[in-house]
Amino acid sequence: MAGGIPPQPEIQIQVHSRKGGNSIYPVEPTATTATGGGPGFYREIKYFKKWFPWLIPTFVIVNVVTFLVTMYVNNCPHNSVSCFAGFLGRFSFQPFSENPLLGPSSNTLEKMGALDVNKVVHKHQGWRLITCMWLHGGVFHLLANMLSLLVIGIRLEREFGFVRIGLLYIIAGLGGSLFSALFIKSNISVGASGALFGLLGSMLSELIINWTIYANKLAVLVTLMVIIVINLAVGILPHVDNFAHIGGFMSGFLLGFVFLIRPQFGWVSQRYASSAYSSRSAKPKFKVYQMVLWVISLILLIIGFTAGLVMLFRGVDLNDHCPWCHYMSCLPTSRWSCNTEPVSCMSEQTSNQLTLTCSNSNKTRSYSLSNPNTSQIQGLCSRLCR
């Protein structure tokens, strides 16, 4: 009718059917579709566009290259009495009894930037909170983390872009390192697990804050919770830094509310309609519960990181305030011990014979070795005491 408001193109609601997803996404009809002049083609609305994932694969490459550089620096044949897979030359691994993950010595990891709380606090090497995220204890450790990163990270980067996922990965990894440093004071820590658990935590908060765009909501929630519980349960095994897992997960969970929020469909529909149509049904960009979660999470993140850094550099040991918290990282059983105190030995060199006595267990052993270097002595001590 003349003078009336022309019909508006609808914003279609479609179920995203790509592999691994059951989210609902709005798509905008093209001009040809809207006027009836052609087949039904739709284009993605920018708020729900698909990104090409390149940052997460880059992170994987960086981690692999860093591991190769670490093994080159480790140079087992030069710094140890014996090596595993000696045919690899200077890339060969420390003895299996010293490092069952097939990797370098703890001394090399420390040189490369492992998280050492004493050096962070007393030698002002705060950069170790970040560098430890790119180091791994061995081949098994590296493979497990990189496969998880590809599965989880690529999906998130495709959905939310490299900027938000990159920031989330780094900040969550820092949160994991910080939480670990507040509990683990005597051992070094390495690995991307804190950042990975941050991505896992963000998947849970993204599901909550964008609840309306998911089909089969309860099935997705239950599946995700099972995955999270299983991964955290693995952390109670000895020699696994579950504090980094927990800290990364909590950081990522809060960051997900901040970085992964999506506008509601009603606002998207009016955004792509005419001003006359929009004025009749104006909707806010985000729902009230989304904004409440966003504000609360941002406040908690600022308070948490600030308090954590202050306590760390003041030398606070949270085990003194929470005597049962160590069970969150290792639960002792009849099959394994949670004693991970660093080992030390008394050494005595006579002619071509080195005698070591473990300070922890008083075990003594002699080795036919002349002029051993520090790395060789440390490796033999570790094998003797463990």
Side-chain angles (χ1 to χ4, degrees):
M1 182 173 65
I5 298 175
Q8 303 299 323
E10 290 186 13
I11 301 300
Q12 303 294 316
I13 304 297
Q14 294 192 344
V15 176
H16 177 55
S17 60
R18 295 183 186 180
K19 183 179 179 181
N22 68 340
S23 305
I24 304 172
Y25 295 97
V27 290
E28 181 190 15
T30 62
T32 304
T33 304
T35 57
F41 294 109
Y42 296 87
R43 62 170 177 246
E44 290 179 319
I45 291 175
K46 68 177 182 179
Y47 301 98
F48 294 86
K49 67 177 291 187
K50 294 287 176 270
W51 299 76
F52 176 77
W54 62 268
L55 184 63
I56 293 300
T58 300
F59 281 171
V60 172
I61 293 173
V62 170
N63 277 278
V64 172
V65 171
T66 302
F67 180 75
L68 293 176
V69 172
T70 303
M71 293 306 303
Y72 182 86
V73 173
N74 186 65
N75 194 7
C76 182
H78 177 72
N79 294 311
S80 298
V81 176
S82 61
C83 302
F84 182 78
F87 62 88
L88 294 175
R90 68 183 298 152
F91 290 96
S92 56
F93 310 112
Q94 294 299 118
F96 197 75
S97 58
E98 181 182 342
N99 185 347
L101 297 176
L102 297 184
S105 66
S106 58
N107 187 47
T108 299
L109 288 171
E110 189 172 345
K111 289 180 181 177
M112 294 293 293
L115 178 58
D116 184 329
V117 176
N118 181 61
K119 292 186 176 181
V120 170
V121 176
H122 300 294
K123 297 187 178 181
H124 310 292
Q125 297 180 2
W127 46 267
R128 290 180 178 271
L129 293 168
I130 297 294
T131 55
C132 67
M133 295 164 46
W134 308 95
L135 297 170
H136 287 83
V139 173
F140 297 146
H141 190 199
L142 179 70
L143 287 177
N145 277 350
M146 293 306 100
L147 288 174
S148 299
L149 179 57
L150 288 171
V151 171
I152 299 172
I154 286 182
R155 181 260 178 188
L156 286 171
E157 186 180 354
R158 184 181 290 119
E159 298 291 332
F160 296 97
F162 69 93
V163 174
R164 285 188 279 183
I165 299 306
L167 287 173
L168 197 154
Y169 182 89
I170 299 297
I171 299 173
L174 175 61
S177 299
L178 181 58
F179 196 70
S180 173
L182 291 172
F183 283 98
I184 299 179
K185 301 294 184 179
S186 58
N187 296 317
I188 63 171
S189 179
V190 295
S193 301
L196 284 171
F197 271 80
L199 295 181
L200 198 58
S202 73
M203 291 178 68
L204 179 59
S205 54
E206 189 268 330
L207 170 63
I208 295 172
I209 200 168
N210 301 320
W211 185 254
T212 58
I213 73 171
Y214 279 89
N216 302 319
K217 299 175 177 61
L218 291 179
V220 175
L221 179 61
V222 171
T223 301
L224 190 55
M225 289 300 299
V226 169
I227 294 172
I228 292 170
V229 169
I230 291 175
N231 279 273
L232 288 175
V234 171
I236 65 174
L237 297 174
H239 308 296
V240 178
D241 185 1
N242 209 30
F243 289 119
H245 297 174
I246 296 170
F249 179 83
M250 293 190 301
S251 300
F253 181 71
L254 295 174
L255 287 165
F257 290 123
V258 176
F259 286 151
L260 308 186
I261 185 173
R262 290 190 189 272
Q264 60 167 312
F265 285 151
W267 181 86
V268 173
S269 298
Q270 74 181 21
R271 179 85 171 180
Y272 285 83
S274 71
S275 58
Y277 176 80
S278 300
S279 63
R280 295 185 305 165
S281 57
K283 293 181 180 294
K285 185 174 183 179
F286 301 107
K287 294 181 180 294
V288 174
Y289 84 91
Q290 289 180 300
M291 293 307 302
V292 170
L293 288 173
W294 189 92
V295 172
I296 292 175
S297 299
L298 185 61
I299 293 173
L300 290 176
L301 281 166
I302 294 173
I303 294 175
F305 274 89
T306 302
L309 288 170
V310 169
M311 287 190 292
L312 173 63
F313 288 106
R314 287 186 175 180
V316 174
D317 186 347
L318 287 186
N319 291 293
D320 297 335
H321 305 279
C322 181
W324 58 267
C325 282
H326 63 278
Y327 292 119
M328 293 192 298
S329 187
C330 182
L331 191 64
T333 69
S334 58
R335 293 181 176 272
W336 63 69
S337 170
C338 291
N339 182 16
T340 58
E341 290 298 317
V343 297
S344 61
C345 294
M346 297 291 293
S347 63
E348 181 180 354
Q349 183 74 43
T350 57
S351 185
N352 293 330
Q353 185 170 334
L354 172 68
T355 302
L356 293 180
T357 302
C358 179
S359 301
N360 302 58
S361 61
N362 291 323
K363 288 195 296 185
T364 300
R365 186 172 179 181
S366 297
Y367 305 88
S368 297
L369 196 64
S370 60
N371 299 321
N373 57 38
T374 303
S375 296
Q376 290 174 326
I377 295 176
Q378 288 178 340
L380 290 172
C381 177
S382 177
R383 290 153 62 183
L384 175 65
C385 294
R386 299 197 190 285

PDB file of all heavy atoms in Angstrom, residues 21 47 67 82 88 92 96 108 131-132 149 161 263 298 334 343 357 361 369:
ATOM      1  N   GLY A  21      29.741 -28.601  16.087  1.00  0.00           N
ATOM      2  CA  GLY A  21      28.967 -27.491  16.616  1.00  0.00           C
ATOM      3  C   GLY A  21      27.483 -27.762  16.610  1.00  0.00           C
ATOM      4  O   GLY A  21      26.969 -28.472  15.771  1.00  0.00           O
ATOM      5  N   TYR A  47      28.753 -10.318  13.416  1.00  0.00           N
ATOM      6  CA  TYR A  47      28.848 -10.689  14.821  1.00  0.00           C
ATOM      7  C   TYR A  47      28.938 -12.201  15.011  1.00  0.00           C
ATOM      8  O   TYR A  47      29.214 -12.686  16.095  1.00  0.00           O
ATOM      9  CB  TYR A  47      27.646 -10.133  15.599  1.00  0.00           C
ATOM     10  CG  TYR A  47      27.537  -8.630  15.514  1.00  0.00           C
ATOM     11  CD1 TYR A  47      26.675  -8.023  14.613  1.00  0.00           C
ATOM     12  CD2 TYR A  47      28.339  -7.817  16.308  1.00  0.00           C
ATOM     13  CE1 TYR A  47      26.581  -6.640  14.513  1.00  0.00           C
ATOM     14  CE2 TYR A  47      28.262  -6.433  16.212  1.00  0.00           C
ATOM     15  CZ  TYR A  47      27.390  -5.851  15.309  1.00  0.00           C
ATOM     16  OH  TYR A  47      27.315  -4.482  15.215  1.00  0.00           O
ATOM     17  N   PHE A  67      60.607 -26.641  21.955  1.00  0.00           N
ATOM     18  CA  PHE A  67      61.046 -27.927  22.499  1.00  0.00           C
ATOM     19  C   PHE A  67      62.321 -28.406  21.802  1.00  0.00           C
ATOM     20  O   PHE A  67      63.251 -28.915  22.456  1.00  0.00           O
ATOM     21  CB  PHE A  67      59.940 -28.972  22.345  1.00  0.00           C
ATOM     22  CG  PHE A  67      60.312 -30.324  22.878  1.00  0.00           C
ATOM     23  CD1 PHE A  67      60.353 -30.558  24.247  1.00  0.00           C
ATOM     24  CD2 PHE A  67      60.631 -31.370  22.015  1.00  0.00           C
ATOM     25  CE1 PHE A  67      60.713 -31.805  24.747  1.00  0.00           C
ATOM     26  CE2 PHE A  67      60.988 -32.612  22.509  1.00  0.00           C
ATOM     27  CZ  PHE A  67      61.031 -32.831  23.874  1.00  0.00           C
ATOM     28  N   SER A  82      74.730 -41.029  30.682  1.00  0.00           N
ATOM     29  CA  SER A  82      74.043 -41.901  29.733  1.00  0.00           C
ATOM     30  C   SER A  82      72.816 -41.178  29.200  1.00  0.00           C
ATOM     31  O   SER A  82      72.278 -40.277  29.836  1.00  0.00           O
ATOM     32  CB  SER A  82      73.631 -43.219  30.408  1.00  0.00           C
ATOM     33  OG  SER A  82      72.727 -42.969  31.481  1.00  0.00           O
ATOM     34  N   LEU A  88      70.127 -40.039  18.346  1.00  0.00           N
ATOM     35  CA  LEU A  88      69.667 -38.688  18.015  1.00  0.00           C
ATOM     36  C   LEU A  88      70.729 -37.629  18.289  1.00  0.00           C
ATOM     37  O   LEU A  88      70.495 -36.443  18.056  1.00  0.00           O
ATOM     38  CB  LEU A  88      68.396 -38.357  18.814  1.00  0.00           C
ATOM     39  CG  LEU A  88      67.152 -39.187  18.483  1.00  0.00           C
ATOM     40  CD1 LEU A  88      66.016 -38.839  19.437  1.00  0.00           C
ATOM     41  CD2 LEU A  88      66.719 -38.964  17.038  1.00  0.00           C
ATOM     42  N   SER A  92      69.217 -36.323  21.821  1.00  0.00           N
ATOM     43  CA  SER A  92      68.806 -37.500  22.584  1.00  0.00           C
ATOM     44  C   SER A  92      68.271 -37.076  23.957  1.00  0.00           C
ATOM     45  O   SER A  92      68.515 -35.970  24.433  1.00  0.00           O
ATOM     46  CB  SER A  92      69.994 -38.460  22.756  1.00  0.00           C
ATOM     47  OG  SER A  92      71.090 -37.808  23.367  1.00  0.00           O
ATOM     48  N   PHE A  96      65.669 -42.528  31.077  1.00  0.00           N
ATOM     49  CA  PHE A  96      64.256 -42.699  31.389  1.00  0.00           C
ATOM     50  C   PHE A  96      63.999 -42.591  32.876  1.00  0.00           C
ATOM     51  O   PHE A  96      62.960 -42.088  33.303  1.00  0.00           O
ATOM     52  CB  PHE A  96      63.777 -44.050  30.852  1.00  0.00           C
ATOM     53  CG  PHE A  96      62.282 -44.159  30.752  1.00  0.00           C
ATOM     54  CD1 PHE A  96      61.579 -43.516  29.738  1.00  0.00           C
ATOM     55  CD2 PHE A  96      61.569 -44.905  31.682  1.00  0.00           C
ATOM     56  CE1 PHE A  96      60.206 -43.617  29.652  1.00  0.00           C
ATOM     57  CE2 PHE A  96      60.195 -45.010  31.595  1.00  0.00           C
ATOM     58  CZ  PHE A  96      59.506 -44.363  30.580  1.00  0.00           C
ATOM     59  N   THR A 108      68.208 -27.884  32.421  1.00  0.00           N
ATOM     60  CA  THR A 108      68.040 -27.219  31.121  1.00  0.00           C
ATOM     61  C   THR A 108      66.730 -26.453  31.073  1.00  0.00           C
ATOM     62  O   THR A 108      66.679 -25.316  30.575  1.00  0.00           O
ATOM     63  CB  THR A 108      68.078 -28.253  29.989  1.00  0.00           C
ATOM     64  OG1 THR A 108      69.347 -28.909  29.989  1.00  0.00           O
ATOM     65  CG2 THR A 108      67.868 -27.585  28.637  1.00  0.00           C
ATOM     66  N   THR A 131      57.180 -17.416  30.224  1.00  0.00           N
ATOM     67  CA  THR A 131      58.018 -18.311  29.421  1.00  0.00           C
ATOM     68  C   THR A 131      57.770 -19.784  29.735  1.00  0.00           C
ATOM     69  O   THR A 131      57.925 -20.640  28.859  1.00  0.00           O
ATOM     70  CB  THR A 131      59.515 -17.993  29.649  1.00  0.00           C
ATOM     71  OG1 THR A 131      59.816 -18.060  31.054  1.00  0.00           O
ATOM     72  CG2 THR A 131      59.854 -16.605  29.135  1.00  0.00           C
ATOM     73  N   CYS A 132      57.375 -20.089  30.969  1.00  0.00           N
ATOM     74  CA  CYS A 132      57.146 -21.494  31.321  1.00  0.00           C
ATOM     75  C   CYS A 132      55.999 -22.103  30.512  1.00  0.00           C
ATOM     76  O   CYS A 132      55.928 -23.324  30.349  1.00  0.00           O
ATOM     77  CB  CYS A 132      56.865 -21.630  32.815  1.00  0.00           C
ATOM     78  SG  CYS A 132      55.310 -20.892  33.366  1.00  0.00           S
ATOM     79  N   LEU A 149      45.384 -28.679  22.327  1.00  0.00           N
ATOM     80  CA  LEU A 149      45.320 -27.290  21.860  1.00  0.00           C
ATOM     81  C   LEU A 149      44.693 -27.202  20.482  1.00  0.00           C
ATOM     82  O   LEU A 149      43.879 -26.302  20.206  1.00  0.00           O
ATOM     83  CB  LEU A 149      46.733 -26.689  21.842  1.00  0.00           C
ATOM     84  CG  LEU A 149      46.858 -25.248  21.344  1.00  0.00           C
ATOM     85  CD1 LEU A 149      45.985 -24.308  22.169  1.00  0.00           C
ATOM     86  CD2 LEU A 149      48.311 -24.792  21.398  1.00  0.00           C
ATOM     87  N   GLY A 161      37.678 -15.576  16.665  1.00  0.00           N
ATOM     88  CA  GLY A 161      38.780 -14.804  16.105  1.00  0.00           C
ATOM     89  C   GLY A 161      40.062 -14.900  16.899  1.00  0.00           C
ATOM     90  O   GLY A 161      40.081 -15.292  18.072  1.00  0.00           O
ATOM     91  N   PRO A 263      25.988 -10.753  21.074  1.00  0.00           N
ATOM     92  CA  PRO A 263      24.735 -10.004  21.166  1.00  0.00           C
ATOM     93  C   PRO A 263      23.532 -10.926  20.998  1.00  0.00           C
ATOM     94  O   PRO A 263      23.619 -11.962  20.342  1.00  0.00           O
ATOM     95  CB  PRO A 263      24.844  -9.005  20.012  1.00  0.00           C
ATOM     96  CG  PRO A 263      25.799  -9.620  19.053  1.00  0.00           C
ATOM     97  CD  PRO A 263      26.777 -10.385  19.885  1.00  0.00           C
ATOM     98  N   LEU A 298      34.802  -9.362  35.235  1.00  0.00           N
ATOM     99  CA  LEU A 298      35.897  -8.407  35.064  1.00  0.00           C
ATOM    100  C   LEU A 298      36.427  -7.950  36.418  1.00  0.00           C
ATOM    101  O   LEU A 298      37.650  -7.860  36.623  1.00  0.00           O
ATOM    102  CB  LEU A 298      35.410  -7.210  34.244  1.00  0.00           C
ATOM    103  CG  LEU A 298      36.484  -6.168  33.887  1.00  0.00           C
ATOM    104  CD1 LEU A 298      37.588  -6.813  33.048  1.00  0.00           C
ATOM    105  CD2 LEU A 298      35.858  -4.995  33.133  1.00  0.00           C
ATOM    106  N   SER A 334      48.284 -45.960  47.978  1.00  0.00           N
ATOM    107  CA  SER A 334      49.250 -47.032  48.225  1.00  0.00           C
ATOM    108  C   SER A 334      50.130 -47.295  47.008  1.00  0.00           C
ATOM    109  O   SER A 334      51.166 -47.958  47.108  1.00  0.00           O
ATOM    110  CB  SER A 334      48.493 -48.321  48.600  1.00  0.00           C
ATOM    111  OG  SER A 334      47.600 -48.689  47.557  1.00  0.00           O
ATOM    112  N   VAL A 343      65.815 -33.114  45.132  1.00  0.00           N
ATOM    113  CA  VAL A 343      66.853 -33.992  45.654  1.00  0.00           C
ATOM    114  C   VAL A 343      68.199 -33.271  45.684  1.00  0.00           C
ATOM    115  O   VAL A 343      68.440 -32.341  44.919  1.00  0.00           O
ATOM    116  CB  VAL A 343      66.957 -35.273  44.797  1.00  0.00           C
ATOM    117  CG1 VAL A 343      65.663 -36.055  44.864  1.00  0.00           C
ATOM    118  CG2 VAL A 343      67.307 -34.932  43.345  1.00  0.00           C
ATOM    119  N   THR A 357      76.144 -39.462  47.759  1.00  0.00           N
ATOM    120  CA  THR A 357      75.272 -39.859  48.861  1.00  0.00           C
ATOM    121  C   THR A 357      74.033 -38.989  48.830  1.00  0.00           C
ATOM    122  O   THR A 357      74.120 -37.758  48.929  1.00  0.00           O
ATOM    123  CB  THR A 357      75.978 -39.697  50.222  1.00  0.00           C
ATOM    124  OG1 THR A 357      77.168 -40.482  50.235  1.00  0.00           O
ATOM    125  CG2 THR A 357      75.056 -40.131  51.354  1.00  0.00           C
ATOM    126  N   SER A 361      67.717 -39.806  51.287  1.00  0.00           N
ATOM    127  CA  SER A 361      67.547 -41.204  51.707  1.00  0.00           C
ATOM    128  C   SER A 361      68.829 -41.837  52.249  1.00  0.00           C
ATOM    129  O   SER A 361      68.792 -42.991  52.687  1.00  0.00           O
ATOM    130  CB  SER A 361      67.049 -42.035  50.524  1.00  0.00           C
ATOM    131  OG  SER A 361      68.006 -42.000  49.466  1.00  0.00           O
ATOM    132  N   LEU A 369      84.031 -42.280  37.061  1.00  0.00           N
ATOM    133  CA  LEU A 369      83.877 -41.045  36.307  1.00  0.00           C
ATOM    134  C   LEU A 369      84.930 -40.041  36.755  1.00  0.00           C
ATOM    135  O   LEU A 369      85.097 -39.789  37.945  1.00  0.00           O
ATOM    136  CB  LEU A 369      82.475 -40.466  36.538  1.00  0.00           C
ATOM    137  CG  LEU A 369      81.974 -39.394  35.583  1.00  0.00           C
ATOM    138  CD1 LEU A 369      81.843 -39.954  34.182  1.00  0.00           C
ATOM    139  CD2 LEU A 369      80.636 -38.856  36.061  1.00  0.00           C
TER     140      LEU A 369
END
